Amino acid sequence: MTNYFIDDPKTKASSTLVNFNDHVTAFNASYDTDIMVPNATIGLQVPNFLRYLYKMPGGNNLLETMMQVQVYAKGYYLASNGDTVYRRFSRELHLT
């Protein structure tokens, strides 16, 4: 996730890449065939000293309702060089 409101102190770029995966503690997704609406919950645990990464000016949250999130999982499928590979298992997910 990119936060365009904070300069990156290491690269001096005008935006900061936030490693969302470092703070995910839980993920749950379900799909109800009766009402045809998928539901997902992502649990985050962000230390107080890193909360600024998820904030915009005025104290608004960087994560918004109906924001598109793509979910990847680390699987046991190996790449040609023997490394494990992240595979996308959810095409898109909208936060509510």
Side-chain angles (χ1 to χ4, degrees), residues 1-6 14-16 18 52-55 62:
M1 180 169 57
T2 304
N3 188 336
Y4 295 102
F5 303 101
I6 300 175
S14 62
S15 62
T16 299
V18 180
Y52 73 95
L53 293 173
Y54 293 90
K55 296 288 184 179
L62 192 60

Side-chain angles (χ1 to χ4, degrees), residues 17-28:
L17 292 175
V18 180
N19 193 349
F20 189 76
N21 290 335
D22 287 347
H23 305 120
V24 174
T25 57
F27 176 77
N28 184 21

Side-chain angles (χ1 to χ4, degrees), residues 15 38 52 67 75 84 92:
S15 62
Y52 73 95
M67 180 180 196
T84 54
E92 66 181 48

Side-chain angles (χ1 to χ4, degrees), residues 17-88:
L17 292 175
V18 180
N19 193 349
F20 189 76
N21 290 335
D22 287 347
H23 305 120
V24 174
T25 57
F27 176 77
N28 184 21
S30 63
Y31 185 75
D32 188 357
T33 56
D34 293 333
I35 57 174
M36 304 293 283
V37 176
N39 184 18
T41 303
I42 299 173
L44 294 173
Q45 189 170 22
V46 181
N48 282 336
F49 69 94
L50 293 176
R51 288 181 62 191
Y52 73 95
L53 293 173
Y54 293 90
K55 296 288 184 179
M56 294 188 296
N60 297 324
N61 287 324
L62 192 60
L63 298 171
E64 300 175 341
T65 303
M66 297 304 293
M67 180 180 196
Q68 181 177 336
V69 177
Q70 293 184 357
V71 179
Y72 292 80
K74 191 170 186 178
Y76 292 100
Y77 306 104
L78 298 178
S80 60
N81 63 357
D83 293 338
T84 54
V85 179
Y86 283 98
R87 302 279 186 194
R88 185 175 68 191

